[in-house]
Amino acid sequence: MVQTQKIGKSTSVAAQASKARVLIAVMLFVTVVINYMDRANLSIAMPAIADEMDLSKAQQGLLLSAFGWTYAALQIPGGWLVDRIPPRLLYPACLILWSVATAFMGVIGGFVALIALRLLVGVFEAPAYPINNRVATAWYPERERATVIGFYTSGQFIGLALLTPFLSWLQSVLSWHWVFIVTGTIGAIWGAVWYAFYREPRDSRANDAEIDLIRDGGGLVDLVDEQQPERPAVTRNDVATVLGRRKLWGIYLGQFCLTSTLWFFLTWFPTYLVEYRDMDYIKSGFLASLPFVAALVGVLFSGVFSDFLLRKGVSLGVARKGPIIVGLLLTVAMIGANFTDSTAMVIVFLSIAFFGNGLASITWSLVSALAPERLLGLTGGMFNFIGNLSSIATPIVIGLLVTDDSFAPGFVYMTVVTAVGIASYVLLVGRVERVRS
């Protein structure tokens, strides 16, 4: 009888709850589209920049990796900021600053200047994904969180699938300079929009029923409370917690391996199509968008399927880790590109691989599930720091491995890294439960 009353009450609350969190999901989605547009615009312009400036493969790898040096290095400070500055203030500041740096890449020429500006883009984008995770943790109950994370993560693939052909066309009609000017302008405008419309759950249009629905489902609606006392500084014990737990190292290493594939597509993929498959900018822009479409399908399916399994009573570990491990297994298909001369088959292999990457991309749901409540930002920062060391390693290592005649060593490297990622999730993560600080 008591159980029936609880079910009835829960159903009633859900029916009365407002849907303010839907707007938050859309805002996160648009922000991620812009975030990844500003990461990938250099890869689209790189063949033209390399031709104009006569850059070697090693120099191209260095320029493509410049974003990652500061982005990865500032993940932990970025996580510290996320734990202290509300998303309404921090996110628009970051958006506008990285967008200004992006726009100046189209105005100021020169190899060294491009590296310096790309380093600045990495500085200001560093807090972005820890902010996304914090917003998702505050706004969504556990049973909805993977779906929401999958939805806004899909923004990176939708944006790249739709905008890669457009930016390639823009470059062919005008010049590579306009790729950066246009994308930077869009980001600056969106920063103002975020400040105008984003609010925390209790300060938003969400009614009490929606607040209760989020809180009772495991959402931390009071995570950002301006009335709370100032939070203590990060201690050695805090750092020891996020660095000393096997479970957390499992997701850190797994994220490095997962994002290595993403960074291949964000850096070397357009160059591979233009220089190693002899395509023009328009055709390469279209074909480069197909793996991103496949990744979009993978990431949307992943979040929905993971939450479906959770609602059906499957353990949190299987529901969260299952899609990640299967996705990494599919990513191994990338090696097939070394065994065919058919451009169509290359796109098929790479689309399967990037579908797998999308399927595996709900890894932030494990941060939400495993991180100590008080150290969400620090854990997210460490997760993103180690994961995004791949943004440095992938462009540079591939640039050193490939030759003017063969890209095959690059695909071998990516396959080995993916295999390490599978082992990390299988052997290190173990039972999915929150780590105690």
Side-chain angles (χ1 to χ4, degrees):
M1 179 68 178
V2 174
Q3 185 177 0
T4 303
Q5 289 175 344
K6 286 183 178 179
I7 293 173
K9 181 179 179 181
S10 177
T11 303
S12 175
V13 169
Q16 298 170 2
S18 56
K19 300 293 183 181
R21 61 195 187 281
V22 174
L23 174 62
I24 301 302
V26 172
M27 292 178 67
L28 287 172
F29 172 85
V30 174
T31 307
V32 169
V33 169
I34 293 170
N35 188 296
Y36 272 81
M37 177 178 65
D38 288 338
R39 297 186 193 193
N41 51 16
L42 179 59
S43 69
I44 295 169
M46 180 54 74
I49 293 174
D51 183 61
E52 180 178 309
M53 299 184 184
D54 194 25
L55 303 180
S56 68
K57 290 291 186 295
Q59 287 176 310
Q60 292 177 54
L62 181 62
L63 178 53
L64 289 167
S65 75
F67 169 92
W69 287 98
T70 49
Y71 181 78
L74 294 176
Q75 283 306 302
I76 296 174
W80 182 87
L81 284 175
V82 170
D83 283 333
R84 284 156 180 79
I85 301 178
R88 188 189 176 208
L89 300 178
L90 184 59
Y91 225 164
C94 291
L95 268 161
I96 292 170
L97 289 171
W98 92 55
S99 297
V100 169
T102 295
F104 270 99
M105 289 183 69
V107 176
I108 302 176
F111 180 65
V112 174
L114 287 176
I115 288 181
L117 289 167
R118 195 67 174 171
L119 289 169
L120 283 177
V121 175
V123 168
F124 297 123
E125 282 203 23
Y129 259 73
I131 295 174
N132 294 343
N133 186 59
R134 184 159 182 176
V135 170
T137 303
W139 265 98
Y140 300 95
E142 184 66 55
R143 67 177 181 273
E144 295 179 0
R145 199 170 298 149
T147 297
V148 170
I149 290 173
F151 172 68
Y152 74 65
T153 301
S154 73
Q156 66 195 46
F157 304 119
I158 288 180
L160 295 172
L162 297 179
L163 293 174
T164 296
F166 167 72
L167 294 177
S168 298
W169 169 83
L170 183 66
Q171 176 177 263
S172 67
V173 172
L174 298 174
S175 70
W176 61 265
H177 302 271
W178 284 95
V179 172
F180 299 105
I181 295 171
V182 170
T183 53
T185 301
I186 292 171
I189 293 171
W190 182 250
V193 172
W194 178 278
Y195 179 79
F197 289 97
Y198 179 79
R199 297 292 187 277
E200 297 302 324
R202 293 193 184 278
D203 298 327
S204 70
R205 295 182 179 180
N207 61 17
D208 290 340
E210 185 173 14
I211 298 294
D212 292 342
L213 179 69
I214 296 168
R215 185 189 63 240
D216 295 344
L220 305 182
V221 294
D222 296 312
L223 190 59
V224 179
D225 187 348
E226 295 179 353
Q227 302 304 316
Q228 290 180 353
E230 184 178 350
R231 301 183 182 204
V234 175
T235 66
R236 290 184 180 181
N237 286 337
D238 294 338
V239 176
T241 296
V242 300
L243 286 178
R245 304 302 172 88
R246 175 179 56 84
K247 291 180 185 297
L248 297 181
W249 270 105
I251 61 174
Y252 298 159
L253 294 176
Q255 186 70 357
F256 173 88
C257 299
L258 178 72
T259 55
S260 292
T261 299
L262 175 61
W263 280 104
F264 160 72
F265 281 97
L266 291 177
T267 55
W268 279 107
F269 183 43
T271 297
Y272 168 70
L273 294 180
V274 171
E275 295 190 8
Y276 294 87
R277 291 289 165 177
D278 298 322
M279 296 181 189
D280 58 38
Y281 292 117
I282 299 297
K283 186 175 182 181
S284 68
F286 170 72
L287 290 178
S289 72
L290 296 181
F292 292 118
V293 174
L296 166 64
V297 175
V299 73
L300 289 177
F301 175 77
S302 180
V304 173
F305 183 61
S306 178
D307 282 345
F308 170 79
L309 291 176
L310 201 59
R311 287 192 295 269
K312 290 297 182 181
V314 175
S315 71
L316 186 63
V318 172
R320 297 306 193 225
K321 289 198 302 181
I324 296 172
I325 293 171
V326 172
L328 287 169
L329 287 168
L330 290 173
T331 302
V332 175
M334 183 182 296
I335 195 65
N338 281 352
F339 301 98
T340 179
D341 292 326
S342 167
T343 298
M345 287 306 301
V346 166
I347 297 300
V348 169
F349 283 127
L350 295 180
S351 294
I352 292 172
F354 217 22
F355 170 83
N357 189 262
L359 190 67
S361 64
I362 57 166
T363 49
W364 276 99
S365 67
L366 288 178
V367 178
S368 292
L370 294 174
E373 286 188 14
R374 191 175 59 83
L375 301 175
L376 274 171
L378 185 62
T379 305
M382 185 64 67
F383 174 80
N384 226 19
F385 165 66
I386 295 175
N388 279 283
L389 290 176
S390 63
S391 65
I392 301 170
T394 302
I396 291 178
V397 171
I398 291 179
L400 294 174
L401 288 176
V402 301
T403 67
D404 289 338
D405 301 320
S406 176
F407 202 87
F411 288 124
V412 172
Y413 168 75
M414 296 304 306
T415 302
V416 171
V417 169
T418 300
V420 173
I422 294 169
S424 178
Y425 280 105
V426 171
L427 300 177
L428 295 180
V429 174
R431 182 185 176 90
V432 176
E433 57 186 4
R434 192 172 299 282
V435 171
R436 296 184 181 277
S437 59

